[in-house]
Amino acid sequence: MERYLKPTFAINCDSPSIQEKSSNLTEGCGDIIKKAQSLFYFVRDEIRYNIYVSRSLPEHFKASNTLARRDGYCVQKAVLLVALARAAGIPAGLGFSRIRNNILPEKTLNWLGTNILPFHGYAEFYLNGKWVKATPAFDLKLCEKNRIIPVEFDGENDAIFHRYNQDGKLHIEYLKDLGRQYEDLPLDKLHEALIQTFGKVALEPPKR
């Protein structure tokens, strides 16, 4: 598990801001599950989901930059959650999936040209002897506004997107598992997937 506690360029869990935030969020938590939950709900709700963020450069994914910016899309939020976990002494890695979002907003659909998202990112914690998925992408305000069922995290079961929204409409389909327990962000693979699916337009999104 030692390699899942080490800092990397993107998962810079040794950053003072990451260390301080992680310590504040886990202070007083009685066990590792409560620590993981505190970190999860902070990233889910206090880091606003924003698909219209730059992703062309390595620094765009750096955990401390996402924390300072207070927004990000799924991969950036997952990287931040992993960094906070490692700073708290919780082994953590990244996982990726190819998904379809059946209720993608019209503006986003027009920009991307497809509702298939080729490299959706989530975090994974190693808790009580097993890996548990934690998907912090959609914040509670976004969920309430768009009738999305929020992802909840109990520390024991995989926390992934719901298949249907609050109105029973098909929402997220998981199409392909792209690998789990990455020690670091595979930025080259991510950029390759984005460019193959959307073209280079996806690396520098339009302003909202």
Side-chain angles (χ1 to χ4, degrees):
M1 289 297 105
E2 192 65 30
R3 65 186 185 275
Y4 292 106
L5 292 169
K6 292 181 178 179
T8 70
F9 179 84
I11 306 170
N12 59 333
C13 53
D14 55 346
S15 162
S17 63
I18 295 293
Q19 291 274 338
E20 180 181 11
K21 178 56 69 174
S22 179
S23 177
N24 289 342
L25 289 169
T26 57
E27 184 178 6
C29 293
D31 57 40
I32 193 171
I33 297 294
K34 288 184 171 60
K35 288 182 179 181
Q37 288 178 309
S38 179
L39 298 175
F40 172 82
Y41 285 107
F42 168 77
V43 176
R44 191 194 75 172
D45 295 333
E46 301 303 323
I47 306 298
R48 184 174 63 91
Y49 179 78
N50 179 13
I51 198 171
Y52 297 101
V53 289
S54 296
R55 62 204 70 182
S56 59
L57 301 174
E59 52 261 39
H60 294 151
F61 293 88
K62 203 167 189 176
S64 57
N65 290 341
T66 300
L67 178 62
R69 201 172 55 239
R70 305 289 287 197
D71 71 357
Y73 85 115
C74 63
V75 175
Q76 293 161 330
K77 293 186 68 169
V79 168
L80 173 57
L81 182 53
V82 169
L84 291 168
R86 291 184 183 182
I90 302 171
L94 293 165
F96 299 94
S97 297
R98 182 179 178 89
I99 67 173
R100 185 194 307 274
N101 186 336
N102 290 282
I103 58 173
L104 204 63
E106 184 176 356
K107 178 183 177 180
T108 306
L109 188 58
N110 290 338
W111 163 45
L112 297 176
T114 177
N115 64 355
I116 292 177
L117 306 177
F119 220 82
H120 160 66
Y122 56 88
E124 285 191 288
F125 297 127
Y126 191 76
L127 300 169
N128 294 334
K130 67 176 183 177
W131 287 99
V132 183
K133 296 180 181 179
T135 306
F138 297 153
D139 58 85
L140 192 57
K141 288 182 180 179
L142 178 77
C143 291
E144 291 173 347
K145 180 180 178 181
N146 294 280
R147 306 287 296 165
I148 296 169
I149 299 175
V151 174
E152 305 292 349
F153 179 70
D154 64 9
E156 296 183 6
N157 300 289
D158 286 339
I160 63 174
F161 288 135
H162 294 275
R163 185 170 173 83
Y164 299 95
N165 73 353
Q166 294 182 32
D167 301 313
K169 294 180 180 178
L170 185 62
H171 184 197
I172 299 293
E173 295 176 87
Y174 283 86
L175 304 178
K176 185 177 181 180
D177 183 352
L178 301 176
R180 299 179 58 183
Q181 295 146 36
Y182 280 81
E183 299 168 36
D184 196 7
L185 174 68
L187 188 57
D188 289 344
K189 287 185 178 181
L190 168 61
H191 279 169
E192 181 182 4
L194 293 178
I195 292 171
Q196 284 182 350
T197 305
F198 309 124
K200 291 187 177 181
V201 65
L203 300 184
E204 286 297 336
K207 300 299 180 183
R208 296 188 72 176

